[in-house]
Amino acid sequence: MSFRIERLVEKHISGAAGVLVNAYALPPWNESWSLEAAAENVTYVLETPRSIALAAVDGDKVLGIALGIRQRRHTGPVIYVDELSVQPDAQGKGIGTALLSAMFETATVEGCSSVWLISQRGGALSEFYQRCEFAVISELGLYSRSSG
């Protein structure tokens, strides 16, 4: 399978939304995204100033996406990876690794001191991120409050 990494632009929104819907429908997430909600998420990042949105594409087909939002921390600007998703039938072919590498390289060129993300602490996803040279920060926790 051949693919290239490029900046995600408006013409990719529909394909990127499809990636989110399909990737999150499977374990470990088992989430039911609508195409509308997924497209809104992608569009939000595209409209956020100085964000980094990347797509892995083969011809006109979007195989994977990485969406990063620039934030300012005490150490300087950083990129928070809000989404990293690959079409289920394209997983295991180096696309996620290529997207994370391109995100890190792009962020570095654009003056960011680090790239960070939130994911599962254990399991295959954790192992994947660690293979991509991301470290687990044990002192951080994920806190959530829901209205319902």
Side-chain angles (χ1 to χ4, degrees), residues 26-108:
L26 300 176
W29 310 117
N30 301 310
E31 296 177 357
S32 296
W33 281 74
S34 70
L35 280 171
E36 179 185 5
E40 182 179 326
N41 192 26
V42 174
T43 301
Y44 173 79
V45 174
L46 285 177
E47 292 175 349
T48 301
R50 302 174 78 189
S51 65
I52 299 173
L54 303 173
V57 296
D58 182 7
D60 289 332
K61 183 176 181 184
V62 178
L63 302 174
I65 61 169
L67 307 176
I69 298 172
R70 187 180 179 112
Q71 298 180 349
R72 178 68 189 199
R73 298 286 182 227
H74 71 286
T75 57
V78 302
I79 290 292
Y80 165 65
V81 178
D82 186 50
E83 298 291 348
L84 175 71
S85 297
V86 175
Q87 283 286 11
D89 63 352
Q91 292 178 3
K93 298 178 178 161
I95 294 169
T97 301
L99 282 164
L100 273 181
S101 179
M103 179 64 74
F104 185 78
E105 290 170 16
T106 303
T108 301

Side-chain angles (χ1 to χ4, degrees), residues 113-136:
S113 60
S114 65
V115 174
W116 61 283
L117 55 87
I118 298 171
S119 191
Q120 293 182 321
R121 194 176 285 270
L125 288 172
S126 177
E127 293 168 10
F128 166 74
Y129 289 124
Q130 290 178 66
R131 282 193 312 271
C132 291
E133 301 180 28
F134 281 73
V136 176

